[in-house]
Amino acid sequence: MDLHKIERVYTSYAGVYDKIFGKVFHEGRESAVQNLNVQPNERILEVGVGTGLALPMYPRHCQIVAIDFSQGMLDIAKKRTVEHEMEHVTLHRMDAGAMEFADSSFDTVVAAYVVTAVPDYRKVVNEMIRVCRPGGRIIMLNHFSNGNKMIAAVEKVISPLTKHLGWRTDLSLNTVLEGTDLHVARKQNVNPLRLWVLVECVNRKNGNGAVHKNGVAHGNGTTIYTQSAGALTAGPTNEEALA
């Protein structure tokens, strides 16, 4: 999959994306945000923000930076931030495989329906690890190749076709996580037929094995996080970022 081809595909989707995919994927987005337990001034990066459907779901006491490579998608996301008066959100047109942020800039990184829709998922995952602080969270919401051999065979067959639509179906979660410093803290099947997975990972880069010094683990597998100290260099406003 070529980056610029994908940009053209998703820009062509922009005007109809919400109507076609909004309701179908709503449960997954809602679950992803609701389970974050966002803390005051927590710094969150949303990778592949699309039309910004999830942005109104975040509490306003956090700082959100959202990126996408499709200008058409970002134009709609910008309108959504204006309509909802989301001054805590900054938008950037940016390649997720080569982000322009400093190392360890964010407490939490969220990527919904992204890793199977990019030319090089390893670059994107490595970039998410780089810009997320040690002990921070990386949330991936995606369809991953099913462990069922029959379903996996079908996914492999149709993947060359779906690539022309902007995504692939033959990528497994184990393949995505292989060789990374990510530790899976929680998994949840979501959306219709439960074929999509919400995966919450702890970023253990630099040998940091702790979830977070202020994290509190609960018996249901959910961990409550509080953000670390340290300032994120202020980015441009929505208008400047999209100029």
Side-chain angles (χ1 to χ4, degrees):
M1 293 188 291
D2 175 78
L3 181 62
H4 293 283
K5 179 180 178 180
I6 291 174
E7 195 276 338
R8 290 194 299 271
V9 169
Y10 279 92
T11 292
S12 70
Y13 286 162
V16 297
Y17 185 89
D18 292 2
K19 293 181 180 178
I20 297 177
F21 298 108
K23 290 184 179 180
V24 175
F25 294 149
H26 176 77
E27 178 192 341
R29 290 189 179 91
E30 190 174 53
S31 296
V33 177
Q34 286 183 346
N35 284 293
L36 287 179
N37 188 46
V38 177
Q39 301 299 303
N41 297 317
E42 182 170 347
R43 298 176 299 282
I44 298 174
L45 171 65
E46 182 157 331
V47 178
V49 67
T51 62
L53 283 169
L55 294 178
M57 301 179 191
Y58 290 93
R60 293 176 180 267
H61 59 240
C62 64
Q63 303 169 28
I64 301 174
V65 177
I67 68 171
D68 205 290
F69 197 66
S70 167
Q71 188 62 53
M73 290 285 193
L74 281 173
D75 288 342
I76 295 177
K78 179 182 176 181
K79 291 179 182 178
R80 183 166 269 118
T81 62
V82 172
E83 290 171 0
H84 291 267
E85 298 181 347
M86 292 186 283
E87 296 180 357
H88 59 298
V89 176
T90 302
L91 302 173
H92 299 267
R93 184 175 186 268
M94 194 178 297
D95 177 6
M99 297 189 213
E100 300 165 18
F101 303 118
D103 295 356
S104 305
S105 294
F106 300 94
D107 298 298
T108 299
V109 178
V110 179
Y113 315 113
V114 170
V115 295
T116 54
V118 293
D120 191 333
Y121 67 89
R122 289 200 179 277
K123 281 186 177 180
V124 173
V125 172
N126 287 336
E127 277 292 271
M128 291 194 294
I129 293 171
R130 181 184 68 80
V131 301
C132 180
R133 65 174 175 78
R137 297 176 293 176
I138 294 179
I139 315 296
M140 289 182 282
L141 171 59
N142 223 93
H143 167 76
F144 293 106
S145 181
N146 195 287
N148 181 291
K149 291 184 179 180
M150 184 173 295
I151 295 177
V154 173
E155 291 171 335
K156 188 173 183 179
V157 169
I158 67 174
S159 188
L161 301 176
T162 60
K163 283 182 180 179
H164 292 290
L165 301 175
W167 66 87
R168 57 186 293 186
T169 60
D170 60 346
L171 190 63
S172 72
L173 177 60
N174 286 340
T175 299
V176 171
L177 298 179
E178 184 180 10
T180 72
D181 295 316
L182 297 180
H183 171 74
V184 176
R186 185 173 64 88
K187 287 172 62 178
Q188 176 186 350
N189 291 89
V190 295
N191 291 334
L193 303 178
R194 296 299 182 261
L195 293 178
W196 286 262
V197 184
L198 176 60
V199 185
E200 180 175 327
C201 299
V202 179
N203 190 9
R204 290 183 170 177
K205 69 178 181 181
N206 302 334
N208 189 325
V211 173
H212 188 285
K213 66 178 183 179
N214 294 323
V216 180
H218 294 269
N220 62 3
T222 301
T223 303
I224 304 302
Y225 296 81
T226 55
Q227 78 286 354
S228 63
L232 170 64
T233 302
T237 64
N238 289 341
E239 290 71 16
E240 293 170 337
L242 295 176

